[in-house]
Amino acid sequence: MFTTPDVTKSCNSDAFCSWLYQQTESRWLANSGYLIIVKPIRILAIILIALLIRWALHRAISRLTASTSRAAMPALLKPLREKVTETAEEGQFIPERRRQRAEAIGSVLRSFVSAVVFTMAALLVMGEFGFNLGPLLASAGIVGVALGFGAQSLVKDLIAGLFMLLEDQYGVGDTVDLGEATGVVESVGLRITTVRDGRGVLWYIRNGEIVRVGNKSQGWAMVVVDIPIGFVNSEEAIAVLKRAADTVAQHPEHQTEFIEAPDVVGVETLTVDGATIRTIAKTTADSQLTVQRELRRALAESLETSGLSERIAASRLAPRSAVPPSWYPGAGGTPPADDPRPGGSAV
């Protein structure tokens, strides 16, 4: 793999070495000058050019990722499939996510560029030292094929991680449902994603094993609150709940958390225990739980202060006789004259 370079042959093809030989007429001095001056200069030039190329590529990547903070986003850094439709209200929450994703992609691209440039520079330097690169490249190709077959899961994880970043499926701080693990994303890599669940357990998940992602922090969230009202007047209950929901939305502490005004959509279900009124609100993803708790509290208090809660309780506690009437056939009585059942006088 390592061969002693033919200095005399190399010297004849080098302008500086040929000039030095013509001036001194000393083959030894010319060869020595080639080894002491020309070779180090070539190696130094290779290193400097590699550093310059790396700097230029890093600068281009940094400028590309930095432009994501502006309204016009480069097409390269847009998700391959848009997950969220940006309305006027929602657009203000997207740039930060774009910036984080662009920084992650930029870091990966910079690492890849550095590895490629320095690998090529190292091969050129080894060539200057007399290494025969043919067998080395052939051996690297064989090792690459062997690793490709033996590390298919690793390649799968890396490719899945790259597409996950490009498509902006989730990021650090998002609350996600990955099937086995549900929690807050703590770190995102090309191979591994770490998620901490509600009990504090830290899950390490290979990107190639993630087949579905439920992101609860992307874009906006919907708050749904169902309030049972028994058998009281539904229109009256809707009016009371509507005033309470509007009060919460207009409160200075929660005003910025609402994307759209809350809406009492009406009767959602009707059972033997009465009706259920549904209230919905479109909020920012980070404020979903806070708004949900505040709406529940405000809606419950509104029913209490309006007096509807007592009427709801009374409608639910209406007495029902558990003892059959005396005329029930099984009790041995006689049915009334207007009994519509078979056997009754009205039939």
Side-chain angles (χ1 to χ4, degrees), residues 217 223 277 316 328:
S217 303
V223 172
I277 302 296
R316 288 179 174 178
Y328 189 71

Side-chain angles (χ1 to χ4, degrees), residues 229-314:
I229 62 168
F231 294 97
V232 301
N233 186 278
S234 61
E235 295 296 332
E236 184 180 356
I238 290 174
V240 172
L241 296 177
K242 177 65 175 174
R243 287 194 296 270
D246 291 340
T247 301
V248 174
Q250 295 170 6
H251 194 280
E253 185 178 350
H254 304 288
Q255 191 172 9
T256 58
E257 298 172 345
F258 286 85
I259 296 178
E260 294 180 359
D263 183 26
V264 181
V265 295
V267 177
E268 180 65 21
T269 60
L270 187 62
T271 66
V272 294
D273 293 324
T276 300
I277 302 296
R278 170 161 294 183
T279 303
I280 61 174
K282 196 173 185 180
T283 69
T284 60
D286 296 338
S287 307
Q288 181 184 21
L289 295 179
T290 303
V291 172
Q292 191 172 40
R293 296 189 185 100
E294 184 62 22
L295 273 179
R296 286 174 178 168
R297 182 198 62 78
L299 296 179
E301 287 184 356
S302 67
L303 294 178
E304 181 70 26
T305 55
S306 64
L308 286 178
S309 60
E310 297 178 359
R311 293 163 54 186
I312 293 172

Side-chain angles (χ1 to χ4, degrees), residues 56-316:
L57 293 176
H58 279 206
R59 179 178 175 83
I61 293 171
S62 298
R63 294 187 63 179
L64 182 66
T65 56
S67 62
T68 59
S69 59
R70 299 190 296 268
M73 180 183 179
L76 176 63
L77 296 178
K78 287 184 179 179
L80 298 183
R81 178 180 296 178
E82 290 291 346
K83 302 297 182 183
V84 180
T85 302
E86 297 181 25
T87 63
E89 295 86 356
E90 298 163 23
Q92 57 182 322
F93 306 108
I94 304 301
E96 180 62 20
R97 288 195 54 83
R98 284 181 175 173
R99 185 191 62 79
Q100 294 175 355
R101 178 168 52 87
E103 288 180 355
I105 296 175
S107 176
V108 172
L109 292 178
R110 284 190 290 268
S111 299
F112 177 76
V113 165
S114 297
V116 171
V117 170
F118 286 146
T119 298
M120 295 180 64
L123 291 175
L124 292 175
V125 170
M126 292 172 65
E128 291 295 329
F129 280 113
F131 282 90
N132 188 357
L133 299 182
L136 181 64
L137 295 176
S139 301
I142 295 173
V143 172
V145 172
L147 289 177
F149 281 104
Q152 295 183 31
S153 60
L154 176 61
V155 175
K156 178 182 177 182
D157 295 338
L158 294 177
I159 293 176
L162 179 60
F163 275 94
M164 179 272 298
L165 288 174
L166 289 174
E167 294 176 345
D168 189 24
Q169 296 177 8
Y170 53 83
V172 175
D174 286 353
T175 301
V176 297
D177 181 358
L178 302 180
E180 290 291 335
T182 300
V184 179
V185 178
E186 290 204 347
S187 66
V188 176
L190 281 181
R191 193 179 73 88
I192 292 291
T193 295
T194 58
V195 176
R196 190 174 297 276
D197 64 15
R199 297 183 178 180
V201 180
L202 189 63
W203 296 79
Y204 294 87
I205 308 166
R206 289 167 40 203
N207 293 328
E209 298 298 322
I210 300 175
V211 295
R212 65 174 180 84
V213 178
N215 195 326
K216 303 178 182 179
S217 303
Q218 208 168 47
W220 52 270
M222 184 66 72
V223 172
V224 179
V225 179
D226 291 333
I227 299 292
I229 62 168
F231 294 97
V232 301
N233 186 278
S234 61
E235 295 296 332
E236 184 180 356
I238 290 174
V240 172
L241 296 177
K242 177 65 175 174
R243 287 194 296 270
D246 291 340
T247 301
V248 174
Q250 295 170 6
H251 194 280
E253 185 178 350
H254 304 288
Q255 191 172 9
T256 58
E257 298 172 345
F258 286 85
I259 296 178
E260 294 180 359
D263 183 26
V264 181
V265 295
V267 177
E268 180 65 21
T269 60
L270 187 62
T271 66
V272 294
D273 293 324
T276 300
I277 302 296
R278 170 161 294 183
T279 303
I280 61 174
K282 196 173 185 180
T283 69
T284 60
D286 296 338
S287 307
Q288 181 184 21
L289 295 179
T290 303
V291 172
Q292 191 172 40
R293 296 189 185 100
E294 184 62 22
L295 273 179
R296 286 174 178 168
R297 182 198 62 78
L299 296 179
E301 287 184 356
S302 67
L303 294 178
E304 181 70 26
T305 55
S306 64
L308 286 178
S309 60
E310 297 178 359
R311 293 163 54 186
I312 293 172
S315 68
R316 288 179 174 178

